[in-house]
Amino acid sequence: MSDTFDHPNLWKDETKTQGLKLFGCRVRPPEEGEEFFLAGQQVSTAGKTFRAWDAIRELLTGEDLFCEPQETGDCVAVSAADLLEAIQLIEIWNGEAEDFHPIHASYLYAAGREGIGKGRLRGGAGSFGGWQAQAVAGKYGALRMDMQDVPKYSGKLSDAWGDGRKHKSTSWHDWTEYADDHQIRKTAYVKSWTQLVDAVANGHLCTMASDLAWEMKPRSDGFHRKRGSWAHQMGIWAISDDRRKPWAGVHNNWGDVHGVVRDFETEENWPSGMIRARPDDLEAAFRNGEVIAWSGFDGFVDRRVDWEAWSLA
């Protein structure tokens, strides 16, 4: 598998981002001092539908965000990197003045396992969703993968950095000074379907670390069914609280493996790698897993010098 990552220029005409709404509710970070959405949203989300890819496709003129499939047991980091990339695009679409950059999953993996976990999982694969959220919301932040001299994501790099080892003479610690300014401003655990709707319908995408597993293709009713067990983290990128047929859009990190999912309302195809899950099937993740909402990314602002402002003429 190639370890290159070729993203197009994702910045679009800023006039497209002004005054836009996400299906009846605005995307907004929690206000200063607010106890996040778990205390109840000011705007009701009951019955609402939100799809992250609607905003992303508008920015990318119909294209979906490319997500590099994971190559080793670093699903916690790859799902978080995918989520941060989607959050960046939603924030740009919603009018924030920042540039898009791909996120380095191997760095996130090391920051969670080594920075927060203090090396307690060395010698084995995997990590905890809570550690990963703490790493990005705390002092380690998120690293751009398109920085000069930064090694590209690979399974071998994640395995080395996640075990506290150098890879080709480079350590994840070499890059913390470039990442620690780019943090998630708020995270919160989600313990019910109602809280999940409140989070995702307001644009606060979620990670889900659990033992839940699904069939690889949807059935005739359009839903994937729970089957087996995966110790795995994925993202929740979309939600519908329609009382007749509610669903959650779960983004897996394995590439195009879950068949064609056609939206019930728009009849458009969902991005590849998506699972359409029923609310009841997520109950085990609320009880025994880690479902975490992520809100407000301190993104990558291009701070160019305005030479005209310094002109003596």
Side-chain angles (χ1 to χ4, degrees), residues 67 69 216-217 252-260 270-274:
C67 296
M216 302 307 288
K217 309 293 182 185
N252 200 354
N253 331 313
W254 295 344
D256 189 5
V257 297
H258 285 296
V260 175
W270 285 12
S272 62
M274 295 297 301

Side-chain angles (χ1 to χ4, degrees), residues 117-169:
K118 306 301 182 186
R120 282 173 282 180
L121 296 180
R122 286 183 182 177
S127 187
F128 293 101
W131 285 3
Q132 190 63 85
Q134 281 183 260
V136 180
K139 64 180 180 179
Y140 299 110
L143 178 69
R144 288 171 47 182
M145 193 157 60
D146 55 1
M147 281 187 60
Q148 185 175 358
D149 298 327
V150 173
K152 299 302 182 185
Y153 166 78
S154 71
K156 290 181 179 179
L157 183 63
S158 289
D159 290 341
W161 281 5
D163 251 16
R165 295 180 280 112
K166 289 187 176 182
H167 180 74
K168 297 182 178 179
S169 75

Side-chain angles (χ1 to χ4, degrees), residues 210-215 225-231 234 275:
S210 73
D211 290 330
L212 293 179
W214 276 270
E215 294 175 345
R225 291 293 191 275
K226 281 198 310 180
R227 187 174 194 178
S229 177
W230 299 335
M234 297 177 280
I275 295 166

Side-chain angles (χ1 to χ4, degrees), residues 279-297:
D280 289 349
D281 289 344
L282 300 179
E283 288 299 322
F286 298 140
R287 290 194 310 269
N288 305 317
E290 291 183 296
V291 182
I292 301 174
W294 302 48
S295 176
F297 182 58

Side-chain angles (χ1 to χ4, degrees), residues 81-127:
D82 293 345
L83 196 84
L84 289 171
E85 291 178 3
I87 289 172
Q88 284 183 76
L89 293 178
I90 292 170
E91 290 182 348
I92 293 169
W93 181 84
N94 204 44
E96 294 196 22
E98 59 186 66
D99 295 329
F100 176 90
H101 293 281
I103 300 298
H104 207 306
S106 298
Y107 173 86
L108 296 185
Y109 191 54
R113 279 173 56 103
E114 291 290 299
I116 303 300
K118 306 301 182 186
R120 282 173 282 180
L121 296 180
R122 286 183 182 177
S127 187

Side-chain angles (χ1 to χ4, degrees), residues 256-278:
D256 189 5
V257 297
H258 285 296
V260 175
V261 182
R262 188 176 294 275
D263 193 84
F264 292 143
E265 180 183 355
T266 68
E267 298 187 352
E268 295 180 351
N269 288 346
W270 285 12
S272 62
M274 295 297 301
I275 295 166
R276 181 156 44 205
R278 298 174 298 182

